Amino acid sequence: ASVPASGTGIAEPTDSSIERHSVKTTPTILIADRNPYVRRFLQRELTNAGYEVLLAENGRQVIFWIDRHASLDLAILDPDLPDTDAATLFENLHHRIPRIPIVVHSHRGEDMDCVGGSGVWFVEKRGNSIEGIIQMVGDILAARTPAM
């Protein structure tokens, strides 16, 4: 069950909405974007590609998810979230989950200036970027998965 966030009409995640599994087989991706259409589009496409997807519309919700879902495998972030700046958001993510890969999904290439460092990739938002995102996510997660 979820509780509506104050005045937004968007369900706020609750502890009871987080599934607990003893063995995790599906990679979990956090999508944070201010645009609800982009969030839902990415969620649909990545779910269809076989990933578990969590959604956040602002920096507060990103922090909520990373504090309660330590098994995140990757984050796709719009650096222009309404209640934080990109540098602070990335610092918080890497402080709480040091090795999490981050895909910056933005209209502006200059957004890469604020992130720097390894473990960060960039995909420009445009009409045909979904194939690139799915390919990039698969490549990043495959490189992080030890061979059996």
Side-chain angles (χ1 to χ4, degrees), residues 119-137:
V120 179
W121 291 261
F122 178 80
V123 175
E124 186 176 358
K125 282 185 182 177
R126 59 182 192 271
N128 62 349
S129 65
I130 191 61
E131 294 86 9
I133 290 173
I134 291 173
Q135 181 67 47
M136 183 178 288
V137 166

Side-chain angles (χ1 to χ4, degrees), residues 12-15 18 20 28 30 54 56 58-72 75 89 91-98 100:
E12 183 79 25
T14 63
D15 285 336
I18 300 171
R20 308 264 183 226
T28 302
L30 174 63
L54 305 173
N58 56 44
R60 183 179 46 83
Q61 289 180 353
V62 169
I63 299 304
F64 177 92
W65 280 121
I66 62 175
D67 282 348
R68 287 163 182 79
H69 208 288
S71 61
L72 285 175
L89 182 62
E91 182 180 320
N92 282 329
L93 265 169
H94 280 295
H95 176 72
R96 288 172 165 87
I97 307 174
I100 190 169

Side-chain angles (χ1 to χ4, degrees), residues 35-36 52 57 59 63 79 83 87 94 104 109 144-145:
N35 184 324
E52 178 183 346
E57 71 177 21
I63 299 304
D83 62 345
H94 280 295
V104 177
R144 291 175 48 92
T145 304

Side-chain angles (χ1 to χ4, degrees), residues 33-51:
D33 198 289
R34 61 195 158 105
N35 184 324
Y37 299 108
V38 172
R39 283 193 309 270
R40 288 193 290 268
F41 175 70
L42 291 173
Q43 177 185 36
R44 182 185 73 230
E45 296 299 316
L46 289 165
T47 298
N48 288 340
Y51 301 105

Side-chain angles (χ1 to χ4, degrees), residues 69-87:
H69 208 288
S71 61
L72 285 175
D73 296 292
L74 185 135
I76 299 174
L77 303 177
D78 173 357
D80 194 23
L81 294 175
D83 62 345
T84 189
D85 63 87

Side-chain angles (χ1 to χ4, degrees), residues 79 86 104 106-116 122 124:
V104 177
S106 175
H107 291 288
R108 303 178 315 246
E110 65 267 15
D111 285 331
M112 285 306 296
D113 296 340
C114 66
V115 297
F122 178 80
E124 186 176 358

